Amino acid sequence: MPRVVVNVMPKPEILDPQGKAVTGALGRLGFVGMSVRQGKRFEIEVDGDVTPEKLAQIEQAAERLLANTVIESFEVVTD
Amino acid sequence: MPRIGVVTFPGSLDDQDALRAVELSGAEAVPLWHGSDSIDGVDAIILPGGFSYGDYLRCGAIARFSPVMDTVIDAANKGMPVLGICNGFQLLCEAHLLDGAMIRNAGQHFICRDERLRVETVDTVWTCDFRAGDEITIVLKNGEGNYQADPETLKRLEDNDQVVFRYLDNPNGSAGDIAGITNLRGNVVGLMPHPEHNVEELTSPSLDGKPFFSSVLNFLSARV
């Protein structure tokens, strides 16, 4: 079944407390010089072909539900 | 007698306390259900604290699309008093009845403590019984209470006197020390602290939650 991926990330100007905590833990494990921001990945399996209409629908779904665009940005990627 | 509804979502925790606080204030407490689009003819609505729908996706994000919310949004837009407490505040933001959004607390910890707040505006239906500048103590308990909005929105909230409560000792990194806000009309208020826990001497370090309820009752009785 064809798959479309929606990646959701906290906007750059918004503090990312989770990413900051992960960055700190990596540093303690010796993985230095790395800065992490944490987001979400949604894998969407679609019936039939991934048409431009289907992609537009997924874009709407991301805008309406999957991301809160006040604090997050998203991208729709065809897998 | 005014009737105040409290919506129960799957995962709501403080709906019973909110109903009890309504009852103690002298109004009729009306339980409402997330799965019904009816608000049973109530005069005001409280969206309670908890973890609606497990807080999956984002706090309040899935509850926002439950059947009752279309009716709540419609009533709020027509001027009905709506109070969102904690998860209810997050839900009002997800529903775009209030500006901004909540992210995880800056220190990553779940914070549970008595929180000192300053009442910034009494020009809302839920705070008209306070005096501007009152310093009150209300229970705070959440992991994602860090209020954020873009700079233009924050400026607009300040310019329009829509910041209702500010933390005296910001516990979670909220922009502008904001603990609660209102909409332009002043009928929708959301805050992270829990006024329904501060209405009885037996269990509360203060009774500072009581004016929330007397405010809306005053508003409703003046309206009739």
Side-chain angles (χ1 to χ4, degrees), chain B residues 66-82:
Chain B
S66 59
V68 77
M69 281 308 291
D70 285 337
T71 315
V72 171
I73 291 168
D74 194 44
N77 286 330
K78 288 178 181 152
M80 180 177 288
V82 177

Side-chain angles (χ1 to χ4, degrees), chain A:
Chain A
M1 211 174 238
R3 195 163 70 174
V4 177
V5 172
V6 178
N7 291 313
V8 176
M9 290 299 292
K11 285 184 175 172
E13 66 272 23
I14 300 281
L15 178 75
D16 173 20
Q18 296 184 96
K20 227 171 123 185
V22 174
T23 301
L26 284 177
R28 288 191 293 280
L29 290 173
F31 297 102
V32 292
M34 301 179 191
S35 177
V36 178
R37 289 183 72 74
Q38 182 178 327
K40 300 185 186 105
R41 171 187 162 100
F42 299 86
E43 296 181 350
I44 303 173
E45 292 191 341
V46 297
D47 297 335
D49 293 335
V50 180
T51 57
E53 291 76 40
K54 193 65 95 181
L55 279 176
Q57 270 182 14
I58 290 173
E59 187 97 13
Q60 277 175 24
E63 176 90 39
R64 188 131 183 251
L65 181 64
L66 303 183
N68 178 345
T69 54
V70 174
I71 47 172
E72 296 166 327
S73 57
F74 67 87
E75 57 170 6
V76 177
V77 186
T78 316
D79 210 12

Side-chain angles (χ1 to χ4, degrees), chain B residues 115-193:
Chain B
E115 192 63 48
R116 302 240 302 137
L117 309 172
R118 189 170 57 246
V119 180
E120 296 287 17
T121 176
V122 296
D123 201 11
T124 84
V125 306
W126 295 99
T127 58
C128 51
D129 248 10
F130 286 104
R131 282 163 309 173
D134 274 354
E135 293 187 357
I136 63 175
T137 303
I138 301 281
V139 173
L140 180 84
K141 43 168 198 175
N142 65 65
E144 302 195 29
N146 183 346
Y147 180 81
Q148 297 295 326
D150 60 60
E152 299 81 58
T153 304
L154 289 171
K155 184 172 183 313
R156 202 177 63 238
L157 290 174
E158 299 287 353
D159 290 350
N160 294 334
D161 211 16
Q162 284 175 258
V163 176
V164 186
F165 301 101
R166 245 186 263 274
Y167 298 114
L168 294 182
D169 175 18
N170 190 340
N172 52 28
S174 290
D177 299 330
I178 290 172
I181 57 171
T182 185
N183 61 347
L184 262 179
R185 197 166 175 174
N187 64 307
V188 179
V189 170
L191 80 164
M192 289 314 291

Side-chain angles (χ1 to χ4, degrees), chain B residues 18 25 33 46 55 63-64 82 210:
Chain B
S25 74
W33 184 240
I46 296 175
D55 274 352
R64 178 259 171 273
V82 177
K210 290 178 92 165

Side-chain angles (χ1 to χ4, degrees), chain B:
Chain B
M1 190 191 278
R3 302 173 75 240
I4 301 181
V6 177
V7 180
T8 298
F9 298 92
S12 290
L13 292 180
D14 300 313
D15 45 340
Q16 296 305 316
D17 281 37
L19 285 164
R20 182 171 165 75
V22 167
E23 229 171 75
L24 289 170
S25 74
E28 184 187 341
V30 182
L32 300 175
W33 184 240
H34 72 104
S36 163
D37 60 5
S38 163
I39 54 170
D40 201 8
V42 295
D43 303 299
I45 295 171
I46 296 175
L47 303 177
F51 301 86
S52 58
Y53 292 86
D55 274 352
Y56 296 157
L57 188 60
R58 293 178 307 278
C59 304
I62 296 179
R64 178 259 171 273
F65 291 104
S66 59
V68 77
M69 281 308 291
D70 285 337
T71 315
V72 171
I73 291 168
D74 194 44
N77 286 330
K78 288 178 181 152
M80 180 177 288
V82 177
L83 177 67
I85 300 168
C86 196
N87 199 221
F89 182 19
Q90 295 162 337
L91 181 45
L92 288 174
C93 289
E94 284 286 341
H96 304 300
L97 284 172
L98 293 175
D99 292 310
M102 252 66 64
I103 65 167
R104 201 165 286 252
N105 291 341
Q108 282 279 53
H109 291 285
F110 189 99
I111 298 168
C112 181
R113 69 185 199 194
D114 296 318
E115 192 63 48
R116 302 240 302 137
L117 309 172
R118 189 170 57 246
V119 180
E120 296 287 17
T121 176
V122 296
D123 201 11
T124 84
V125 306
W126 295 99
T127 58
C128 51
D129 248 10
F130 286 104
R131 282 163 309 173
D134 274 354
E135 293 187 357
I136 63 175
T137 303
I138 301 281
V139 173
L140 180 84
K141 43 168 198 175
N142 65 65
E144 302 195 29
N146 183 346
Y147 180 81
Q148 297 295 326
D150 60 60
E152 299 81 58
T153 304
L154 289 171
K155 184 172 183 313
R156 202 177 63 238
L157 290 174
E158 299 287 353
D159 290 350
N160 294 334
D161 211 16
Q162 284 175 258
V163 176
V164 186
F165 301 101
R166 245 186 263 274
Y167 298 114
L168 294 182
D169 175 18
N170 190 340
N172 52 28
S174 290
D177 299 330
I178 290 172
I181 57 171
T182 185
N183 61 347
L184 262 179
R185 197 166 175 174
N187 64 307
V188 179
V189 170
L191 80 164
M192 289 314 291
H194 286 258
E196 81 281 17
H197 293 331
N198 288 86
V199 295
E200 273 185 299
E201 263 161 31
L202 180 65
T203 52
S204 322
S206 86
L207 299 181
D208 292 340
K210 290 178 92 165
F212 285 77
F213 301 92
S214 59
S215 292
V216 75
L217 291 183
N218 279 347
F219 169 80
L220 290 172
S221 64
R223 201 191 51 170
V224 169

